[in-house]
């Protein structure tokens, strides 16, 4: 089973976990009039819709 990890910058203290395929790099931005976060994909398959399937994991900070 494939697992993906997402990490927020608030909990990282500047230390990124290499297992996180998706990283939040900024929050509280506005996109088309809606609040959003800015995330950065660190892998081509990061668990997105239409990807290869799998489950999410919570990575320790």
């Amino acid at each position: 089973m494939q697992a993906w990890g997402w990490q927020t910058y608030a909990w990282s203290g500047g230390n990124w976990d290499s297992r996180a395929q998706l990283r939040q790099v900024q929050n509280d931005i506005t996109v088309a009039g809606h609040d959003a976060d800015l995330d950065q994909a660190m892998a081509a398959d990061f668990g997105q819709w239409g990807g290869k399937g799998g489950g999410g994991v919570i990575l320790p900070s």
Side-chain angles (χ1 to χ4, degrees):
M1 179 174 123
Q2 176 68 38
W4 289 276
W6 174 74
Q7 184 176 359
T8 67
Y9 75 90
W11 291 93
S12 69
N15 299 307
W16 293 107
D17 192 311
S18 62
R19 298 171 295 167
Q21 291 88 357
L22 197 59
R23 296 176 179 172
Q24 177 197 46
V25 294
Q26 185 178 354
N27 61 359
D28 296 327
I29 64 172
T30 302
V31 177
H34 301 279
D35 293 335
D37 294 341
L38 180 62
D39 296 335
Q40 179 181 24
M42 304 306 293
D45 183 3
F46 54 87
Q48 70 274 31
W49 184 264
K52 296 179 182 175
V57 296
I58 298 175
L59 302 175
S61 44

